[in-house]
Amino acid sequence: MSSEALQTDQNPILACTICRDVQNFELLIVDMEEALGEQWGDLGFEDAVPFMAQPEAEQLEFIAIAMDDMDEDSLDELTAIITEARNRNIRTLLIAEDVTPASLHTLLRHGADEFIPYPLPPGELQAAIDKIRAAAKAAEIPAASQVKLAASEDSREGVLIAVHGLAGGTGATTLATNLGWELATTGSEPPSVCLVDLDLQFGTMSTYLDLPRPDAVFELLTDTESMDSESFGLALQTYEEKLHVLTAPAEIIPLDLVAPEDIERMLEMARKHYDYVIVDMPSTLVQWSEVVLQAAHVYFATMEIDMRSAQNAMRLKRALQAEDLPFEKLRYVMNRAPKFTDLAGKSRVKRLAESLGISIDLNMPDGGKQVSQSSDHGQPLAISAAKNPLRKEIAKLAASLHALDQSSDKAA
């Protein structure tokens, strides 16, 4: 323990670095001094837990655990430090160099709040400190948008609908977002709908609905073992009092940081509380893609009349068939489909489907500039451009899905 760095004198200690040898992280030292001056200290792994019990640690805002690949054998010791910090409401920041995603996942699951790669990107530590302080202030004020879900609510076994873009710009997020809104406003007694953005790195559902991305989303996804109705509700945002949304995390995270069982637990929780759960998938296939495919009642795959969509559709088909996965759940959606009078275009769509050995189940018209304008303004098409042809087709799809679900319930 550095006795000089932990002198309290007049200035309380606000943060501590915890590592095997702080000299291995020189950039971290520089950034800590710039951000906190003399109000920080450095500790070894073995000194961290005892120090947090001392009076000098009462003002600690966060600890920064700096580790590299040599420290992966000490995960038990590090999780004990994180647990102690969490019990004392001290935030934990991971500074990681050459650490495997599995180890990061373990530490985040046990309560670490955020991680930054080392060498530190310029300004990243200060940004993380500002975020920690903002979160601490926000925790003191109940958020108006937080959704309260009753733990005793009967299981709804909601319908799970997934949307997967076979190429960028094929309208997957537009379809998922607007389908969710149309379902949430269908009929005199609209069903409950939850949108889930699983494009964890570049998901834009929050942008399309002008919603913030709360830190609670990251905390939920990395600690699903302790998830309950309350914590799930705290991670949700509300749009126009009709639609609930689990946005993508505020920061880019590795797709494999979330395990299949995490996604399974989260989807089960969502289906328990909502009639419809609509999932926007990443274009990349990951280890938990199978979980969503197996659970989905319908799996929409959006595409366009171009070579990239055709090639990706064929590759996806082969991949699913090779793993003996339920390929028949896929429903292909042609984005910017040819108009009724475009006979040549319709012929191209037919030849494309025949060459791929698939069926194009839905043809969505080109909504034009109104679609991008609606997204930029954070509104569904039904609000910003109700007469848009794409909006009308999505509304028809929502009505048919809801009617099918209602008839299934009656038959049961």
Side-chain angles (χ1 to χ4, degrees), residues 56 83 121 206 279 286 337 339 405 407:
E56 293 87 346
T83 300
S206 60
V279 179
V286 290
K339 296 181 180 179
D405 183 46
S407 62

Side-chain angles (χ1 to χ4, degrees), residues 67 94 96 99-109 115 254 257:
M67 60 180 298
L94 296 178
V99 177
T100 63
S103 296
L104 283 175
H105 185 226
T106 298
L107 297 177
L108 289 166
R109 182 187 291 275
F115 78 91
L257 193 64

Side-chain angles (χ1 to χ4, degrees), residues 1 9 17 74 101 106 109 127 141 302 365-366 369 374 387:
M1 182 186 301
D9 292 336
T17 58
S74 304
T106 298
R109 182 187 291 275
I141 305 174
T302 61
D366 188 348
K369 292 183 179 179
S374 174
K387 296 182 179 180

